[in-house]
Amino acid sequence: MGARPKAQIVLIDSEREQLLAWSRRRKTAQALAMRSQVVLACAEGMDNKAVAARLRVTPQTVSKWRNRFAEQRVDGLLDAPRSGAPRTIKDAQVDAVVARTLESVPKNATHWSTRGMAREMGMSQTAVSRIWRAFGLQPHRQETFKLSTDPQFVEKVRDILGLYLDPPTKSMVLCVDEKSQIQALDRTQPILPLALGIPERRTHDYMRHGTTTLFAALDIATGEVIGELHRRHRSSEFLRFLRTIDANVPAELDVHLVMDNYGTHKTPKVTAWFARHPRFHVHFTPTSASWINQVERWFATLTEKQIRRGTHRSTRQLEQAVRSYLVSYNADPKPFVWAKSADEILASIERFCLRISNSGHWPAPRRRRPRHPGSAPCALPSEPPTQPCTLARHHPKLDTHRLRDPQPRPRCTRPDTTTSPEQYAFCSLNSRDNYLDVYRGLGLTTPQ
């Protein structure tokens, strides 16, 4: 009686590469590596006994994996899923844990812990941990967010990003801001220096020796920074800094300033100075949107590299350290590269609104803040303009030489006014009605 015929093993290139990788990789499971070696040896034409002798396994093992590879190819060498022990936690219990985590808080805390939830639900702490990991629940974490309340948010974002991504010719774009209240701090005891195996150490308390303010203007094209230090932060100091910018920028170039809505930037003296210097064009950032000003990122670098871990026994010493950093930075400046367009930013905000649309957390309605006597709303594009927008109404020259708007920018409108979605997409988010305005403006389904 003859032996049973053996399955012939013929490998294609991709299968051979995969089997060789499994057999040689150090992190491969030993069982999988052995099976790969069996198939590779069988592909050389060896019989089962010869393969078993070479790999020191039984002929039955060789026959088993030869036949399984012939039937299922590479997938047949992997372990089949095992049933394991029967589940002790039912789907209803998992749903209850998730619902309790999302919809309630414990009586004695602001958020659930794994052990507190385990006591509440009558299960083990490890079971709660597995459920939270599976559903991505992290009650111990909290992040911050801030939606701009500026009614002209969309227009300002497109205006400023247009300068970043496609700056005008024969002009310089400067991001201007102040880093105020920089503290000259000295530790109460000497700092222990870095040593082998020991990080630098300092005391947690400190002595303050005064403050100073850094006025900075970042050139987005070259990365160079025009900086000036003043002990106080008023419109008079800001005017001095504007004169410094005017002296450092070539006279043949227009100057586009990107800055926030701080009060010192809009005083009558500053407004009159801009009117007398028509080559300066101001682009205000939206309210609560300082992230769009590139000089803020430079301030973060200054804080990280010079201020946070510095020790200064006087304000003069602090100012000298800042000036030294400015000189060293401007010797080899690196401009920041803005990557996202206005459409991508607005789409990201839309996705965020969609995620929170059913959260159920809405602020209680409150009375609207009375409008400033001199801030009447501008006319809509479909209506004839009755008066210029923003600062142009205080100085007529600003409308043509500083704002450079072909027509007045519309303010936020009420929900019953027919207008474009972007026009009131970011209305004042001070009440539930205004949140609903945002959703209607973006074309989203309003939450109930």
Side-chain angles (χ1 to χ4, degrees):
M1 185 176 181
R4 288 182 298 178
K6 304 178 182 64
Q8 297 296 323
I9 302 298
V10 179
L11 300 177
I12 61 176
D13 293 340
S14 60
E15 292 176 338
R16 187 178 297 277
E17 292 177 1
Q18 183 65 66
L19 294 174
L20 288 172
W22 281 345
S23 62
R24 295 173 179 175
R25 192 172 58 183
R26 293 182 178 181
K27 294 185 178 181
T28 303
Q30 292 300 311
L32 181 58
M34 182 272 295
R35 298 165 194 170
S36 302
Q37 293 172 359
V38 167
V39 175
L40 289 171
C42 293
E44 296 176 3
M46 301 174 61
D47 57 13
N48 292 348
K49 290 184 178 180
V51 175
R54 175 196 287 187
L55 301 179
R56 297 183 180 181
V57 296
T58 62
Q60 290 80 5
T61 300
V62 176
S63 177
K64 171 184 176 180
W65 294 110
R66 177 195 287 267
N67 295 332
R68 185 170 296 184
F69 183 85
E71 296 174 0
Q72 304 178 22
R73 310 307 294 178
V74 174
D75 293 339
L77 303 183
L78 303 175
D79 290 334
R82 296 181 173 87
S83 59
R87 290 180 56 186
T88 58
I89 302 176
K90 306 301 181 183
D91 290 342
Q93 293 176 282
V94 175
D95 293 340
V97 170
V98 174
R100 183 66 62 88
T101 305
L102 294 175
E103 300 173 3
S104 66
V105 295
K107 296 180 180 180
N108 59 348
T110 58
H111 59 277
W112 288 104
S113 65
T114 54
R115 290 172 177 80
M117 181 60 69
R119 287 192 299 268
E120 183 74 15
M121 303 303 297
M123 58 179 61
S124 66
Q125 181 261 345
T126 55
V128 175
S129 297
R130 288 196 299 268
I131 294 173
W132 282 1
R133 281 195 298 270
F135 286 89
L137 296 174
Q138 298 176 327
H140 64 286
R141 294 187 58 191
Q142 186 181 53
E143 297 181 352
T144 60
F145 79 97
K146 179 67 175 179
L147 289 177
S148 176
T149 60
D150 197 321
Q152 298 178 4
F153 177 84
V154 176
E155 293 87 343
K156 290 182 178 180
V157 168
R158 295 192 183 279
D159 179 29
I160 294 175
L161 294 192
L163 294 175
Y164 290 168
L165 301 177
D166 188 17
T169 58
K170 295 184 179 180
S171 63
M172 179 180 293
V173 180
L174 298 176
C175 295
V176 177
D177 203 1
E178 305 88 4
K179 185 173 180 61
S180 59
Q181 298 296 314
I182 307 176
Q183 302 182 79
L185 302 181
D186 184 21
R187 300 295 157 179
T188 57
Q189 298 178 14
I191 295 178
L192 300 180
L194 175 69
L196 296 176
I198 302 176
E200 180 182 277
R201 290 176 291 179
R202 66 182 184 183
T203 59
H204 68 279
D205 52 347
Y206 56 85
M207 294 182 294
R208 191 173 73 167
H209 299 284
T211 61
T212 189
T213 297
L214 171 64
F215 292 77
L218 171 70
D219 184 357
I220 67 168
T222 64
E224 294 184 4
V225 175
I226 302 172
E228 198 169 83
L229 289 163
H230 295 283
R231 298 292 176 89
R232 302 187 67 177
H233 185 197
R234 302 170 300 178
S235 60
S236 57
E237 284 79 18
F238 183 64
L239 279 174
R240 291 174 59 184
F241 182 59
L242 289 177
R243 298 186 187 102
T244 302
I245 295 176
D246 191 22
N248 282 272
V249 178
E252 65 274 10
L253 296 180
D254 285 351
V255 183
H256 293 264
L257 301 183
V258 177
M259 57 187 187
D260 58 24
N261 298 272
Y262 192 66
T264 57
H265 301 163
K266 297 183 177 182
T267 62
K269 291 182 178 179
V270 174
T271 303
W273 191 91
F274 280 127
R276 293 194 302 269
H277 296 76
R279 72 169 182 150
F280 279 79
H281 315 280
V282 178
H283 307 262
F284 288 110
T285 63
T287 307
S288 303
S290 59
W291 48 265
I292 204 171
N293 197 337
Q294 292 190 28
V295 75
E296 296 287 353
R297 184 63 193 86
W298 186 84
F299 284 153
T301 304
L302 170 66
T303 303
E304 177 185 357
K305 294 186 176 181
Q306 186 65 38
I307 297 177
R308 179 176 292 127
R309 293 178 58 175
T311 300
H312 310 100
R313 293 181 173 87
S314 66
T315 306
R316 181 176 299 176
Q317 188 178 2
L318 170 63
E319 292 176 345
Q320 181 61 36
V322 174
R323 291 191 181 97
S324 299
Y325 180 81
L326 273 171
V327 172
S328 62
Y329 176 82
N330 286 329
D332 185 24
K334 296 289 191 301
F336 298 108
V337 179
W338 193 273
K340 282 196 173 184
S341 64
D343 291 335
E344 291 173 325
I345 292 176
L346 296 177
S348 176
I349 297 176
E350 179 182 356
R351 291 193 299 269
F352 176 76
C353 292
L354 287 172
R355 290 187 62 185
I356 66 174
S357 60
N358 294 320
S359 63
H361 300 288
W362 299 95
R366 63 183 182 183
R367 294 184 60 187
R368 293 181 180 273
R369 183 177 298 177
R371 190 182 299 277
H372 190 274
S375 60
C378 298
L380 296 176
S382 57
E383 303 173 0
T386 57
Q387 52 183 328
C389 285
T390 61
L391 296 180
R393 95 171 45 93
H394 302 292
H395 202 292
K397 194 173 182 180
L398 293 180
D399 192 32
T400 56
H401 293 285
R402 191 161 75 89
L403 297 178
R404 296 297 176 98
D405 284 341
Q407 59 183 349
R409 294 180 176 178
R411 287 183 177 269
C412 177
T413 61
R414 298 297 300 161
D416 54 355
T417 303
T418 303
T419 182
S420 63
E422 290 181 349
Q423 187 169 325
Y424 59 83
F426 292 89
C427 295
S428 176
L429 304 182
N430 294 328
S431 67
R432 188 178 190 277
D433 293 338
N434 290 330
Y435 272 103
L436 296 179
D437 292 352
V438 172
Y439 285 89
R440 296 190 186 102
L442 291 174
L444 308 177
T445 303
T446 56
Q448 302 299 324

